[in-house]
Amino acid sequence: MSKADLIVGLQWGDEGKGKIVDHMAQTHDYVCRFAGGHNAGHTIVINGKKYALHLIPSGVLNAKAKNIVGNGVVLSPKDFIIEMEQFDDLKGRLFLSDKAHVLLPYHALIDQAKERMKGDKAIGTTGKGIGPAYGDKIARVGHRLGELLNPEKLTAKILAYFEQNKAIFAAMEVETPKEADLLAELEGYKAVLGAHIVDTTQLMWKIMDEDKKILLEGAQGTMLDIDHGTYPYVTSSTTVASGACAGLGINPKDIGKVTGIAKAYCTRVGNGPFPSEDFGDEGDRLRKAGHEFGTTTGRPRRCGWFDAVAMRHAVRVNGVDQVSLMKLDVLDGFKEVKVCVAYEVDGKEIDYVPYELEDATPIYKSFPGWDKTEGVQDFDKLPDTAKSYIKALEEMIGTKMGIISTSPERADTIIR
Ligand code: IMP
């Protein structure tokens, strides 16, 4: 029986998981998503053609790999179908959990309305409806993909839901859909998605029993986890490694090697605490050199230095076996490179993530910079100062950096 390899983001998302998942998808039979929705996103270029992936697992780009979207995910049929249209034949290669929750257009309208109402306390969500869809799931008033197989019944259920929540929808200026329109919409979804909807829990067990090579693809990052991130400035799902169990119906013993993805610096989109954020020229330089603009929303990302305290937290929460350090080349040419090694809270130095991260002031250690790591494919060929930086990070977080990426190109990857 095989154990599944797992990839998880260790910071605030956008760590560059796409490159590593794409790389690992070449050697896996199945790639499985376990949490989140179309708030995630990465772009992959193959033979000059660009593919935008939000929810379809990255195995779709490898003709031999099959793809599973687990029950822990919230799926917008409308957006998912647009994503599917990029690929020719997904029959027999794409399996969607009948227990995954359906994200409908009104979830996005509620998300956006709630953000507007929060004013300067807004979370800065992607506006895709993720929070309201998960909210309905937990409140036990959501709709599952399996229900799409009976559009008439689901239409009646959704209309009853609107009736029960009339006052809320009125305040949010969300109109009740017309019965005939809703039915037509759901029938359209069934026509495209119906053949892909299965019991993915049974499928997971079967492929593990058959010793298939399985890759579990995390979305967002540890610091955006609903429990272990910077609540309430988080997404609404369990983004950490343990989310793969609940989100796919596997057990903790089914998980093998955990690879955590981290950038050589830090970024965050949306609001919320980010102690090592750099508001000056160096932050700007990281944003430009790292092309730090969101793939899903196009928003400029907040940029700053590697946070070793938050990283230790992430390594422990996820049980990380190795870290894949991304975008080392973005630090090329800096005279010195800073790392947040501890926080100061109420005049006291601490080495863990406190309850209120916004009260933490970073304590930095500086390292000498280097000229160029871009394109280096061999650890020994890195400048000495870059090697020292990586070794210092390894010591601080107690984990090996087994993969180091020095450019977006597939080949520019150091494996140690
Ligand atoms: P939501 O997931 O749209 O509800 O957004 C909640 C928070 O998570 C916001 O700060 C978003 O910017 C952030 N977020 C959601 N998905 C991603 C992602 O894929 N990368 C980075 N940040 C994300």
Side-chain angles (χ1 to χ4, degrees):
M1 199 163 77
S2 59
K3 283 190 188 291
D5 295 320
L6 189 146
I7 286 191
V8 66
L10 299 180
Q11 294 160 323
W12 280 277
D14 308 317
E15 296 92 350
K17 291 183 285 292
K19 177 175 169 178
I20 300 303
V21 175
D22 171 50
H23 178 76
M24 291 176 87
Q26 311 299 315
T27 55
H28 286 76
D29 303 311
Y30 283 82
V31 185
C32 316
R33 265 287 296 270
F34 57 85
H38 64 305
N39 48 348
H42 55 261
T43 307
I44 293 187
V45 183
I46 295 182
N47 299 331
K49 190 167 179 217
K50 243 188 193 181
Y51 297 91
L53 293 183
H54 295 284
L55 186 49
I56 298 185
S58 307
V60 73
L61 298 169
N62 164 8
K64 281 182 259 146
K66 296 184 176 176
N67 302 278
I68 296 179
V69 175
N71 58 276
V73 152
V74 288
L75 186 147
S76 159
K78 183 166 155 263
D79 296 279
F80 197 81
I81 289 169
I82 294 171
E83 211 179 317
M84 284 172 75
E85 282 164 0
Q86 301 175 95
F87 306 97
D88 285 340
D89 191 11
L90 293 171
K91 232 190 242 148
R93 292 187 59 211
L94 178 66
F95 304 96
L96 312 177
S97 169
D98 51 6
K99 294 187 292 243
H101 274 249
V102 180
L103 188 160
L104 289 164
Y106 60 82
H107 288 121
L109 295 174
I110 294 173
D111 189 2
Q112 292 155 21
K114 283 192 171 168
E115 284 284 275
R116 279 196 302 276
M117 287 170 175
K118 282 191 184 135
D120 65 359
K121 296 276 183 300
I123 290 165
T125 69
T126 59
K128 306 280 182 191
I130 304 298
Y134 276 112
D136 280 359
K137 171 180 174 173
I138 299 303
R140 297 164 293 184
V141 293
H143 316 294
R144 304 197 290 179
L145 265 191
E147 294 175 73
L148 262 190
L149 301 176
N150 189 341
E152 273 176 25
K153 197 167 164 199
L154 182 55
T155 299
K157 189 171 162 236
I158 292 173
L159 291 175
Y161 170 93
F162 267 88
E163 182 59 27
Q164 286 150 18
N165 295 281
K166 242 188 335 215
I168 298 169
F169 282 122
M172 307 256 175
E173 296 173 15
V174 177
E175 278 179 36
T176 303
K178 300 216 168 25
E179 185 173 351
D181 294 347
L182 182 58
L183 180 61
E185 182 184 341
L186 298 179
E187 277 172 342
Y189 296 159
K190 178 187 169 186
V192 184
L193 302 179
H196 298 277
I197 299 174
V198 298
D199 180 339
T200 54
T201 307
Q202 293 289 335
L203 179 59
M204 288 301 296
W205 297 347
K206 178 171 169 284
I207 61 177
M208 290 194 145
D209 289 346
E210 288 171 355
D211 232 3
K212 298 287 186 210
K213 284 204 79 181
I214 300 165
L215 183 63
L216 312 177
E217 177 181 1
Q220 286 86 39
T222 302
M223 300 307 282
L224 290 173
D225 180 88
I226 185 75
D227 288 282
H228 304 287
T230 53
Y231 191 89
Y233 298 99
V234 291
T235 190
S236 297
S237 63
T238 298
T239 61
V240 299
S242 49
C245 294
L248 284 163
I250 57 175
N251 70 61
K253 295 181 210 105
D254 289 329
I255 296 179
K257 189 169 185 176
V258 177
T259 300
I261 317 290
K263 272 194 281 223
Y265 52 98
C266 263
T267 64
R268 162 160 216 174
V269 257
N271 301 326
F274 176 7
S276 63
E277 181 169 10
D278 188 297
F279 297 95
D281 293 347
E282 291 178 322
D284 274 345
R285 183 171 163 180
L286 289 170
R287 184 158 34 252
K288 283 197 194 104
H291 309 291
E292 296 295 355
F293 298 88
T295 34
T296 297
T297 58
R299 292 180 289 179
R301 296 180 184 141
R302 299 156 62 191
C303 295
W305 302 104
F306 190 92
D307 184 335
V309 187
M311 190 58 55
R312 274 198 300 274
H313 168 87
V315 163
R316 186 70 198 252
V317 167
N318 292 293
V320 171
D321 294 302
Q322 66 163 354
V323 169
S324 178
L325 189 72
M326 310 305 292
K327 292 182 140 183
L328 180 64
D329 54 298
V330 171
L331 297 179
D332 288 1
F334 275 90
K335 259 210 169 66
E336 64 173 24
V337 177
K338 289 196 280 185
V339 176
C340 170
V341 294
Y343 301 137
E344 191 186 304
V345 178
D346 296 332
K348 248 180 63 192
E349 187 175 319
I350 59 168
D351 63 357
Y352 57 88
V353 175
Y355 178 68
E356 291 285 8
L357 189 56
E358 56 215 4
D359 299 339
T361 311
I363 297 173
Y364 289 114
K365 186 169 173 192
S366 288
F367 293 83
W370 52 84
D371 282 343
K372 193 167 175 236
T373 63
E374 191 189 353
V376 174
Q377 297 177 5
D378 181 348
F379 188 76
D380 293 331
K381 297 208 170 109
L382 286 173
D384 285 344
T385 45
K387 280 191 249 181
S388 306
Y389 175 67
I390 292 164
K391 285 181 179 158
L393 296 186
E394 289 183 327
E395 242 167 65
M396 282 180 232
I397 66 170
T399 308
K400 184 173 169 159
M401 301 208 157
I403 306 173
I404 297 157
S405 171
T406 58
S407 103
E409 292 296 323
R410 229 184 230 177
D412 295 337
T413 309
I414 298 169
I415 312 276
R416 296 164 74 207

